[in-house]
Amino acid sequence: MQNMSHEIRTSLNMVYGFAQLLGMPEGSWTDEEREKYNTYINDNYRMLDLLLNDLIEYTQTNQKTFGVSCEPVDVAKICDSTLQSLQFAQSKSKQVQLQNELPDGFTINSDARRIQQILTHLLFYGVQFASSDELLLSAKLNAGALELAVVDPNSSMSGMKELPVYVKNTLYDPDVDDLGVRIELCHRMACLLGGCIYIDTKSKDGVRIVLQIQNIL
């Protein structure tokens, strides 16, 4: 419940922030900016809908299960929307830039909301532990798989060599470390999407926290 309240607040802040921008006097933004703001609001409304459905499912069954609804996903757009959400939710102490190496208009058949949910957690994780002031969200193809990675180009994320884990059968224990629970939820959602998450400590471009989705081509 703590984890979900954090996610709900992030999306609410996003909707509220861009709604305020759209409420500014005519001429304060271009037609292109207005369309982009509307897209961000719509993406985060859909995220709120997903989270509330998860919450209803949890209260009815007392089990954390995840539904997946697949549709064509513009990967670069969902990465951009996730970064904009992060901008409203975190301090300005660290900046995250999108490094998109995907073909123009690249899409996969997946669940955009689950991808955004995972990326949000991984970005917060990276912002919390990276020593660099600037991080990257990298999007590229590698050997037939999609790789979305939070990259700290200049450090080893304060010595972190693997993602935190939670103790088996304690996912709902209030005393369990919150970060470990979040990463475990990411693992489960990634599996449902046909992928996994891991830290690539062998990367020559810095430490990379990777969401890898297989069989996309």
Side-chain angles (χ1 to χ4, degrees):
M1 295 291 288
Q2 284 180 315
N3 175 65
M4 293 183 70
S5 65
H6 174 81
E7 291 184 78
I8 290 171
R9 187 177 295 110
T10 297
S11 289
L12 279 174
N13 287 342
M14 181 72 165
V15 171
Y16 178 68
F18 280 107
Q20 282 190 309
L21 289 177
L22 288 176
M24 294 173 65
E26 190 73 25
S28 300
W29 23 251
T30 65
D31 289 342
E32 182 180 358
E33 288 173 328
R34 180 171 59 185
E35 182 179 355
K36 184 180 292 186
Y37 298 162
N38 279 325
T39 298
Y40 294 150
I41 290 173
N42 182 65
D43 287 346
N44 280 271
Y45 165 78
R46 295 176 71 235
M47 178 60 72
L48 285 169
D49 181 63
L50 174 77
L51 294 171
L52 292 175
N53 284 337
D54 281 350
L55 181 59
I56 292 170
E57 178 77 16
Y58 176 83
T59 56
Q60 289 178 341
T61 65
N62 202 33
Q63 294 183 0
K64 185 60 181 175
T65 57
F66 302 106
V68 173
S69 179
C70 291
E71 60 184 3
V73 177
D74 187 317
V75 178
K77 286 185 178 179
I78 205 65
C79 289
D80 177 65
S81 182
T82 305
L83 288 184
Q84 292 298 326
S85 297
L86 182 70
Q87 174 183 322
F88 277 90
Q90 62 121 18
S91 69
K92 303 298 182 181
S93 59
K94 287 185 173 65
Q95 298 296 317
V96 186
Q97 301 294 327
L98 177 60
Q99 185 180 66
N100 180 21
E101 300 179 25
L102 299 172
D104 291 342
F106 178 79
T107 62
I108 62 172
N109 193 45
S110 189
D111 191 323
R113 298 176 300 177
R114 293 300 183 194
I115 293 175
Q116 182 171 352
Q117 197 174 12
I118 296 170
L119 289 180
T120 297
H121 285 305
L122 297 187
L123 282 165
F124 274 115
Y125 175 75
V127 166
Q128 182 175 354
F129 285 100
S131 59
S132 301
D133 291 332
E134 294 187 1
L135 304 179
L136 298 175
L137 175 57
S138 169
K140 67 179 183 179
L141 298 176
N142 184 13
L146 171 65
E147 289 189 354
L148 303 175
V150 178
V151 184
D152 181 353
N154 299 316
S155 75
S156 59
M157 290 205 178
S158 302
M160 298 294 289
K161 296 300 182 183
E162 60 183 21
L163 292 167
V165 297
Y166 83 112
V167 179
K168 189 175 181 180
N169 298 325
T170 61
L171 184 58
Y172 309 109
D173 187 331
D175 294 327
V176 172
D177 177 68
D178 180 60
L179 185 58
V181 171
R182 291 189 188 191
I183 295 301
E184 172 61 20
L185 295 177
C186 286
H187 275 300
R188 295 187 183 189
M189 285 184 282
C191 288
L192 287 175
L193 297 176
C196 62
I197 59 171
Y198 63 93
I199 287 187
D200 180 8
T201 57
K202 297 180 180 179
S203 170
K204 296 181 180 179
D205 300 321
V207 174
R208 302 169 68 243
I209 312 173
V210 183
L211 165 62
Q212 184 183 77
I213 302 177
Q214 301 281 352
N215 302 320
I216 60 168
L217 301 179

